[in-house]
Amino acid sequence: MSRKTVFIAFAKEDEARRNLFTGMRVHPKTPFEFTDMAVKQPYASAWKTRVRTRIRRSHGVIALISRSTPRASGQLREIKCAAEEGKPLLGIWLDDGYRTKPAVMGSAPCRLWKWSNIASFIDRLS
């Protein structure tokens, strides 16, 4: 089985939680890897091109959704790009009690941060 690549879209304010989330892949038998684009200048055209390229190369996209997401222009651009590219998309709620899904996610689901939810999404990727 080939390793699956999952792009992670997150707000820069959530970088520490992104690190915890991506720590799940450290076991050598884990059949997936995570990639992302830490946002320095979200509107630079080179950044936009690199984001789209990484998303195209990914099997799917997981968006880490928090109270910071509505103001995270880079993260919202990444989510929009995933939708435009037709990539499977899953939102993961980071904050207890915060359940406002970004409109750019369309009909993509958001789930609680549980291994079973993440594994189910990754298992469906091709």
Side-chain angles (χ1 to χ4, degrees):
M1 168 169 40
S2 65
R3 291 177 67 85
K4 296 174 186 175
T5 300
V6 179
F7 187 93
I8 305 298
F10 66 99
K12 67 181 177 178
E13 294 84 359
D14 296 323
E15 188 170 13
R17 292 190 286 180
R18 184 277 321 252
N19 293 342
L20 289 172
F21 184 86
T22 59
M24 294 183 292
R25 64 149 169 54
V26 298
H27 192 280
K29 292 186 179 180
T30 304
F32 61 89
E33 59 186 69
F34 293 125
T35 186
D36 61 57
M37 290 287 294
V39 178
K40 303 290 189 251
Q41 297 174 326
Y43 293 114
S45 64
W47 178 85
K48 291 178 189 178
T49 301
R50 287 192 308 269
V51 164
R52 189 168 294 275
T53 299
R54 282 206 185 170
I55 288 173
R56 281 183 182 149
R57 291 179 184 162
S58 299
H59 293 92
V61 176
I62 293 177
L64 304 179
I65 308 300
S66 74
R67 287 179 173 85
S68 298
T69 298
R71 297 175 310 285
S73 59
Q75 179 187 21
L76 294 172
R77 181 170 289 283
E78 292 167 343
I79 295 168
K80 182 179 180 193
C81 181
E84 290 171 352
E85 294 295 328
K87 292 295 179 176
L89 178 60
L90 173 68
I92 294 294
W93 301 119
L94 294 184
D95 297 331
D96 288 336
Y98 182 80
R99 299 295 183 264
T100 304
K101 183 171 85 167
V104 295
M105 286 189 68
S107 62
C110 288
R111 303 278 185 256
L112 293 176
W113 182 349
K114 291 182 177 181
W115 175 245
S116 59
N117 291 333
I118 297 154
S120 175
F121 174 74
I122 291 172
D123 286 346
R124 290 190 310 268
L125 298 176
S126 54

